[in-house]
């Protein structure tokens, strides 16, 4: 069976403003329930929302970074539905006049560039948070609501149905996170819910009877990159199986407009059809009379465009050009701005970009991955700064410690936050690079292993490594291995 | 047939979670129909050169600085809640999982 997977994403990202979208309540995460709430958050009668200018700036900057056209005229609409996390019984969102439209994001899949269309980016308010559990052992009759989150500014980013595999969807989402973090408009922490994703997926099946499209399934509230890829993989498989089992629906059935809403059960690893919210799609949008339209001059938009930092794509090609990095290394190092900054600043301090890229992509990444999937977060929360890393790498570069000791010191720096100099002094790791200091030891080792010496003289050059190892052992790893090698070779020739 | 049907009135009432009696449905069908007829009347005006507008007051770009202001005390916020529990609003259970 020949089929094509069609995926489109709707991504919600919370903006990093200090205050909410319509009022001055704080957007801080993780505080006591209902302590960041005011009558505007609750939509009490007589209140009037006033737009946060920073949220507009951030939404437009996101649109610009995603290659969108920015609307000259934009406005807010009310989306009506009843749900306890929405105290006004409508969400203030944007309907037919979003702030940004028609952008594109370039992703790299298996070494090839693919362009993903962005249909729109609009600004809206976050809902409150429902807590379902913890009430009683016997299944509660209640849900609990915390409105601290209600009214935090969100952008919704809608892609064209351009993604062709679950892997592409994950790669796109990672790229989107990279871009939003570069420009500093969202911290995109999926585990805290500041980045969330709904995925629409169906199949275009081609067989001898012609082309058939399976009904679109929308999987809601995917909250990790892994979940996005797994849920989509499962759903594609399920739609294939369903088609194999049931075939086409009877002639005359029109499924093209049906859309099924599904959830994702992470523990069971499968999607499930959600009970349809009654009449959920009849949102009766209309312009919010409380909020005057937003009119942006091109001067304003161009000023914001000029404020954008170097974007990942530009940084990547500059790293290749400026530091002679291979394409792969440049892509990996620029996937996070914090990593890119660590690399670039450390390279400046040590004057050795190649060495720094090897250490960052090897040892530093190995340590950070122990702290979770999110390299950027792990890096921001650890003590490895460019200055600290450069200090260590200069010890290695100047052969004052050897590479293995360097790895040991880095691990200790990461664990304890101590400086390289201190750790090296404490552990006495500085290399023995004095010829006189080592000459005696080398002579002893040679004298102690006549058999090996014989082998070497008979042409088994690799056996030198054994003698070097013996010297390293005797110095507890502190000898300069290059020098030891040189001394042994000299004495045997 | 009027400008609006009984069925449409029932639909709109349901979306708004309003429970109407048969008499009310009749009444609102007539009243809403009359309102829509007036709107039809307005449609007769020539608006070729008039910009579409969603707002009655000619304001634009009413915005505030991104500054945190104190929120209300939790007790005040929860004062009007029909039910509360440990600082949360308590509402009838919402089912989400399968």
């Amino acid at each position: 069976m020949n089929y094509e997977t069609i995926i489109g994403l709707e991504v919600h990202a919370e903006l990093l403003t200090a205050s909410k979208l319509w009022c001055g309540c704080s957007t801080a995460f993780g505080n006591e329930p209902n302590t960041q709430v005011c009558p505007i958050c609750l939509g009490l009668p007589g209140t009037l929302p006033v737009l946060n200018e920073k949220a507009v700036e951030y939404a437009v900057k996101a649109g610009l970074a995603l290659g969108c056209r920015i609307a000259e005229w934009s406005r807010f609409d009310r989306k009506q539905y009843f749900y306890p996390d929405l105290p006004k019984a409508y969400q203030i969102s944007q309907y037919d006049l979003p702030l940004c439209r028609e952008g594109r994001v370039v992703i790299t899949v298996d070494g090839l560039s693919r362009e993903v269309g962005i249909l729109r980016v609009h600004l809206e308010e976050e809902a409150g948070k429902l807590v379902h559990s913890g009430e009683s052992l016997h299944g509660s009759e209640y849900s609990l609501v915390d409105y601290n989150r209600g009214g935090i500014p969100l952008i919704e980013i809608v892609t064209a149905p351009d993604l062709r595999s679950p892997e592409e969807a994950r790669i796109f989402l990672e790229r989107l996170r990279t871009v939003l973090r570069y420009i500093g408009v969202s911290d995109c922490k999926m585990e805290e819910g500041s980045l969330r994703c709904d995925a629409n997926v169906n199949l275009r099946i081609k067989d001898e009877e012609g082309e058939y499209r399976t009904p679109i399934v929308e999987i809601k509230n995917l909250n990790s990159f892994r979940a996005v890829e797994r849920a989509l993989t499962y759903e594609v498989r399920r739609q294939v199986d369903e088609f194999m089992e049931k075939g086409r629906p009877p002639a005359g059935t029109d499924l093209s407009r049906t859309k099924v809403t599904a959830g994702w059960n992470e523990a069971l690893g499968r999607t499930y059809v959600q009970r349809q919210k009654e009449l959920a799609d009849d949102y009766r949008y209309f312009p919010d009379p409380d909020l005057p339209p937003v009119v942006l001059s091109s001067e304003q938009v161009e000023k914001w465009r000029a404020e954008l930092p170097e974007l990942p794509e530009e940084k990547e090609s500059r790293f290749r050009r400026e530091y002679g990095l291979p394409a792969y290394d440049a892509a990996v190092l620029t996937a996070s701005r914090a990593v890119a900054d660590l690399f670039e600043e450390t390279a400046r301090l040590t004057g050795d970009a190649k060495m720094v890229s090897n250490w960052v992509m090897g040892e530093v990444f190995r340590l950070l991955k122990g702290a979770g999937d999110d390299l950027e977060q792990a890096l921001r929360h650890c003590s490895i700064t460019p200055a600290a890393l450069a200090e260590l790498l200069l010890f290695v570069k100047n052969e004052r410690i050897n590479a293995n000791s360097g790895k040991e010191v880095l691990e200790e720096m990461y664990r304890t936050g101590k400086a390289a100099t201190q750790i090296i002094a404490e552990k006495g790791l500085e290399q023995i690079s004095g010829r006189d200091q080592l000459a005696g030891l080398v002579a002893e080792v040679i004298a102690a292993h006549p058999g090996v010496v014989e082998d070497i003289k008979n042409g088994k050059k690799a056996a030198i490594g054994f003698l070097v190892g013996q010297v390293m052992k005797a110095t507890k790893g502190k000898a300069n291995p290059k020098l030891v090698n040189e001394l042994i070779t000299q004495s045997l020739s | 047939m009027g400008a609006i049907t009984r069925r449409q009135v029932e639909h709109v009432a349901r979306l708004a979670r309003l429970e109407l009696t048969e008499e009310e449905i009749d009444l609102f069908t007539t009243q809403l129909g009359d309102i829509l007829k007036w709107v039809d009347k307005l449609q007769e005006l020539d608006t070729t050169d008039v910009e579409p507008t969603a707002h009655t007051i000619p304001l634009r770009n009413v915005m505030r600085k991104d500054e945190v202001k104190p929120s209300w005390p939790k007790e005040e916020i929860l004062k009007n809640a029909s039910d509360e529990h440990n600082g949360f609003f308590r509402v009838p259970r919402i089912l989400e999982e399968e």
Side-chain angles (χ1 to χ4, degrees), chain A residues 363-383:
Chain A
E363 292 310 304
V364 175
F365 278 12
R366 193 174 58 74
L367 292 170
L368 294 180
K369 275 175 182 152
D373 295 334
D374 194 334
L375 283 182
E376 173 138 338
Q377 288 301 322
L379 183 57
R380 288 194 190 285
H381 291 109
C382 83
S383 55

Side-chain angles (χ1 to χ4, degrees), chain A residues 119-146:
Chain A
L119 298 179
R120 58 188 281 155
V121 179
H122 74 244
L123 188 56
E124 64 184 27
E125 62 180 323
E126 178 76 284
K129 203 174 164 179
L130 279 173
V131 182
H132 300 286
S133 58
E135 179 78 328
S136 83
L137 287 173
H138 310 288
S140 162
E141 287 169 51
Y142 298 99
S143 293
L144 303 175
V145 199
D146 170 12

Side-chain angles (χ1 to χ4, degrees), chain A residues 19 24 34 140 278 291 295, chain B residues 14 61 64 66 69 87 93:
Chain A
S19 66
N34 295 307
S140 162
E278 198 179 359
L291 291 156
V295 185
Chain B
R14 193 163 165 197
N61 297 343
R64 38 170 265 275
D66 180 27
K69 299 268 164 63
R93 186 182 185 190

Side-chain angles (χ1 to χ4, degrees), chain A residues 329-403:
Chain A
D329 298 27
V332 170
L333 289 171
T334 54
S336 140
R337 189 173 166 186
V339 171
D341 289 349
L342 175 70
F343 161 76
E344 191 155 35
E345 186 59 15
T346 312
R348 192 182 64 79
L349 292 169
T350 57
D352 193 338
K354 185 68 207 155
M355 178 190 197
V356 175
S357 77
N358 286 339
W359 275 78
V360 169
M361 289 172 63
E363 292 310 304
V364 175
F365 278 12
R366 193 174 58 74
L367 292 170
L368 294 180
K369 275 175 182 152
D373 295 334
D374 194 334
L375 283 182
E376 173 138 338
Q377 288 301 322
L379 183 57
R380 288 194 190 285
H381 291 109
C382 83
S383 55
I384 299 180
T385 61
L389 183 60
E391 186 189 24
L392 168 67
L393 295 188
L394 284 172
F395 271 100
V396 180
K397 187 176 156 72
N398 297 330
E399 298 186 353
R400 291 179 60 190
I401 62 173
N402 63 44

Side-chain angles (χ1 to χ4, degrees), chain B residues 15-80:
Chain B
L15 288 174
R17 302 291 191 275
L18 293 174
E19 207 173 332
L20 301 182
T21 63
E22 288 300 311
E23 292 73 34
E24 283 170 326
I25 296 172
D26 283 336
L27 180 67
F28 293 144
T29 306
T30 311
Q31 289 183 340
L32 289 171
D34 285 347
I35 292 168
L36 289 175
K37 273 181 215 156
W38 275 107
V39 176
D40 276 344
K41 180 91 187 154
L42 289 174
Q43 298 278 28
E44 291 169 16
L45 272 175
D46 181 5
T47 55
T48 321
D49 295 324
V50 181
E51 284 274 322
T53 179
H55 296 84
T56 50
I57 308 167
L59 284 175
R60 51 173 73 170
N61 297 343
V62 177
M63 300 191 208
R64 38 170 265 275
K65 294 247 175 281
D66 180 27
E67 285 164 358
V68 176
K69 299 268 164 63
S71 297
W72 277 32
K74 192 162 69 176
E75 298 68 40
E76 286 294 315
I77 287 302
L78 290 164
K79 214 173 191 172
N80 292 318

